[in-house]
Amino acid sequence: MPILGPNQYGKAENRVVRITRDGATHHIKDLNVSVSLSGDMDEVHLSGSNANVLPTDTTKNTVYAFAKEYGIDSAEQFGIHLARHFVTSQPAIHRARIRVEQYAWDRIEHGGEGAHSFVRKGQETRLAQITYDGSSWEIVSGLKDLTVMNSTDSEFWGFVKDKYTTLPEAHDRILATEVSGRWRFNWTDDEQPAPDWEASYEQVKKHLLQAFAETYSLSLQQTLYQMGARIIDNREEIDEVRFSLPNKHHFLVDLAPFGLKNDTADGAVYFAADRPYGLIEATVLRDGREAKIPADLTNL
Ligand SMILES: O=c1[nH]c(=O)c2[nH]c(=O)[nH]c2[nH]1
């Protein structure tokens, strides 16, 4: 009979976000936690007996419950706590390996109220497309992978409800997106002075971030329009802005089965879902100008 070699199991990539509130100043801990356990697991492989198997689903629940109950001081401390728990509470588990990725966030500087707006470190990829037909230029600049989050000041309610609607109305939710945007310059003619491309890029990015941070959002669509409008209003060199904004959903984890209350108050724990995601896309134009940026940004 072939021999079973080294083996391990667990739930990988548990995306856990914890928001603590210090008055109007919020703090984020954003982790990707992978649990891998090993021990007396011959039977489950050889005969299919699950008698020694703590479900991977339970390991996931433990990650979220520990985040709620004990908080997240550091990736190391959180991982130590989890690993110790699995090894000491389960006789069949002799080794636990916890891997943690931690995503860092900077605050978005803006003039509005509160401190609950963040931009993920690592930041964006800048884009440019230049087209010239021998007489006329079309310059479209942009960015992708600029991840931002508001940990409050976002609601979504009053929407259509049909027999398939289950989404509860939200009066305080996380709003997070990975901004993909393109903007078209009205400079087309070599005879005219060209914009300062570097300064323009920095200013567009600043305006879209500040609009994201300062908009009290009733929908991501409303936030998108505000971001575009802020650019059109402040940057005369730009006539058109298009955004493609995935709604990076964060769901409050149901911790009631473990006797833990988890609401949006201080210390809320969220499951950061990666898919499916809402995808909100629109163009914002200077009055009287035409939309030229393709609807599908990947074709740009
Ligand atoms: O901001 C949002 N816009 C939507 O159109 C939508 N639809 C949905 O399920 N959640 C949200 N959120």
Side-chain angles (χ1 to χ4, degrees):
M1 197 175 74
I3 304 298
L4 176 69
N7 58 86
Q8 54 190 342
Y9 82 106
K11 195 72 101 194
E13 304 213 43
N14 299 285
R15 293 282 289 99
V16 54
V17 171
R18 189 169 198 267
I19 307 289
T20 49
R21 297 187 177 210
D22 183 3
T25 301
H26 292 195
H27 305 273
I28 300 184
K29 281 284 164 60
D30 183 358
L31 305 183
N32 191 8
V33 180
S34 294
V35 176
S36 195
L37 307 176
S38 48
D40 300 332
M41 296 296 157
D42 286 5
E43 283 308 313
V44 61
H45 292 91
L46 301 179
S47 74
S49 166
N50 292 322
N52 283 352
V53 177
L54 181 73
T56 66
D57 188 68
T58 304
T59 69
K60 173 200 72 183
N61 289 344
T62 308
V63 169
Y64 288 106
F66 273 35
K68 178 70 201 177
E69 207 167 1
Y70 306 110
I72 301 169
D73 286 337
S74 66
E76 290 79 5
Q77 165 276 330
F78 191 60
I80 288 167
H81 198 176
L82 283 166
R84 180 179 291 124
H85 166 80
F86 291 123
V87 172
T88 58
S89 67
Q90 294 298 318
I93 292 172
H94 304 319
R95 184 171 175 274
R97 188 202 66 205
I98 313 294
R99 285 189 174 156
V100 184
E101 290 182 1
Q102 180 166 355
Y103 307 118
W105 295 80
D106 282 326
R107 293 187 186 281
I108 299 176
E109 302 298 333
H110 63 94
E113 298 283 299
H116 53 255
S117 301
F118 305 90
V119 57
R120 209 164 109 172
K121 280 192 186 158
Q123 300 229 346
E124 78 279 9
T125 302
R126 180 170 164 180
L127 306 168
Q129 171 177 286
I130 293 91
T131 313
Y132 183 52
D133 63 4
S135 62
S136 175
W137 294 91
E138 186 197 69
I139 312 293
V140 178
S141 295
L143 55 75
K144 62 175 182 177
D145 302 335
L146 181 69
T147 302
V148 290
M149 174 190 294
N150 284 322
S151 54
T152 190
D153 285 6
S154 167
E155 308 191 19
F156 187 68
W157 49 268
F159 42 79
V160 173
K161 293 163 194 84
D162 73 3
K163 70 177 191 176
Y164 301 112
T165 305
T166 57
L167 184 74
E169 299 203 324
H171 295 276
D172 186 5
R173 66 174 186 172
I174 285 182
L175 186 68
T177 186
E178 190 178 292
V179 179
S180 180
R182 308 286 187 278
W183 45 95
R184 185 172 52 79
F185 291 84
N186 46 35
W187 180 82
T188 57
D189 180 355
D190 268 328
E191 304 295 311
Q192 300 298 317
D196 177 340
W197 308 111
E198 296 295 286
S200 180
Y201 181 83
E202 292 308 325
Q203 288 295 311
V204 168
K205 183 178 156 191
K206 181 191 85 178
H207 285 299
L208 76 84
L209 284 174
Q210 290 185 346
F212 177 82
E214 291 167 16
T215 301
Y216 189 106
S217 178
L218 300 176
S219 65
L220 184 52
Q221 288 90 330
Q222 184 199 24
T223 295
L224 182 157
Y225 175 79
Q226 289 298 324
M227 290 162 64
R230 187 81 72 108
I231 294 166
I232 296 295
D233 282 344
N234 287 281
R235 302 306 306 174
E236 58 177 15
E237 73 276 22
I238 293 165
D239 274 1
E240 176 184 7
V241 184
R242 186 168 177 84
F243 286 116
S244 177
L245 302 182
N247 193 350
K248 295 172 75 76
H249 303 297
H250 288 68
F251 300 109
L252 272 174
V253 184
D254 179 10
L255 298 174
F258 322 122
L260 298 170
K261 182 160 171 262
N262 189 33
D263 57 25
T264 58
D266 182 39
V269 171
Y270 296 86
F271 159 57
D274 66 341
R275 63 189 69 167
Y277 48 88
L279 187 60
I280 309 299
E281 306 184 288
T283 298
V284 182
L285 287 166
R286 189 170 300 288
D287 195 9
R289 305 302 153 86
E290 237 180 284
K292 293 185 182 165
I293 299 175
D296 182 358
L297 292 187
T298 58
N299 287 337
L300 191 133

